[in-house]
Amino acid sequence: MNALLLAQEGEAQPPLLPHLDELVIGLIAFVIVFGFLAKKLLPTINKVLDERREAIEGGIEKAESAQIEAQSVLDQYKAQLAEARHEAARLRQEATEQGTALIHEMKAEGQRQREEIIAAGHAQIEADRKAASAALRQDVGKLATDLAAKLVGESLEDHARQSRTIDRFLDELEEKAEAVR
């Protein structure tokens, strides 16, 4: 305000204060330039900003839909993984059960074969015992006949008689052996 009063009194105007007519011309030029920029440049700027906002919003929507799809795929993967683990556990259990059944089956088969081998061994031993007993009877009978022939001094070559004597002698020996037991 002091500056205006000084300007009116005719004194020299300070160099930083503009003249009134320059101020009015500057203001009019500013309004013209601002109006021009508002008419031409502002819609373009707003259009670019709107496109950018739409692109950003579209990108966000795409990202959200991609995230939802990824979550869906992750859930499916987790479900498949859980199903695969369940299936693997079932297969392990089944294999364990089959292994146990196979072990029991093999043990039973081994026991059966063992029993067959033992029975065959007993049968073979019994057959060998009988063969040895028959051979021993024959040898003992021959020796007894030879001894008796030497003691009696006559030949005991009658086969039927020889067999009866041998059988009677061996039966007496068996009876004595059983009586001792």
Side-chain angles (χ1 to χ4, degrees):
M1 207 137 146
N2 279 335
L4 286 177
L5 289 174
L6 289 174
Q8 287 175 356
E9 291 176 4
E11 294 188 17
Q13 189 168 348
L16 293 179
L17 280 179
H19 292 286
L20 186 60
D21 49 347
E22 287 177 359
L23 192 60
V24 171
I25 291 173
L27 185 62
I28 291 172
F30 176 75
V31 169
I32 291 172
V33 170
F34 184 76
F36 175 76
L37 289 178
K39 285 263 191 202
K40 297 289 182 183
L41 198 57
L42 194 59
T44 306
I45 291 173
N46 285 335
K47 181 180 171 187
V48 169
L49 289 175
D50 288 340
E51 287 174 359
R52 250 184 135 161
R53 186 179 65 247
E54 288 175 11
I56 290 171
E57 288 174 357
I60 290 172
E61 288 174 6
K62 286 179 185 177
E64 287 174 353
S65 67
Q67 186 176 10
I68 291 170
E69 184 179 341
Q71 186 64 37
S72 170
V73 170
L74 180 63
D75 291 342
Q76 288 176 353
Y77 170 74
K78 286 181 180 178
Q80 288 175 350
L81 184 61
E83 183 179 327
R85 285 181 178 157
H86 177 69
E87 181 69 15
R90 185 188 65 77
L91 288 175
R92 275 193 306 270
Q93 179 66 27
E94 194 175 288
T96 302
E97 290 171 0
Q98 287 177 352
T100 303
L102 185 60
I103 287 171
H104 288 299
E105 185 179 310
M106 295 305 285
K107 281 183 181 179
E109 178 66 20
Q111 185 70 20
R112 185 190 61 78
Q113 287 179 355
R114 181 180 152 258
E115 295 298 325
E116 285 178 2
I117 291 170
I118 288 172
H122 285 300
Q124 182 65 36
I125 288 171
E126 185 62 28
D128 289 347
R129 189 187 65 77
K130 286 182 181 178
S133 177
L136 186 61
R137 272 182 170 251
Q138 199 174 26
D139 289 345
V140 168
K142 179 152 176 43
L143 288 173
T145 307
D146 290 344
L147 183 61
K150 286 184 182 178
L151 288 176
V152 174
E154 62 183 75
S155 176
L156 299 172
E157 290 188 17
D158 181 14
H159 190 54
R161 189 177 187 196
Q162 190 178 29
S163 291
R164 281 192 313 265
T165 306
I166 293 170
D167 287 339
R168 189 181 66 229
F169 176 72
L170 290 176
D171 288 339
E172 287 174 10
L173 282 177
E174 285 178 5
E175 287 174 8
K176 287 180 182 178
E178 285 184 19
V180 172
R181 286 185 193 176

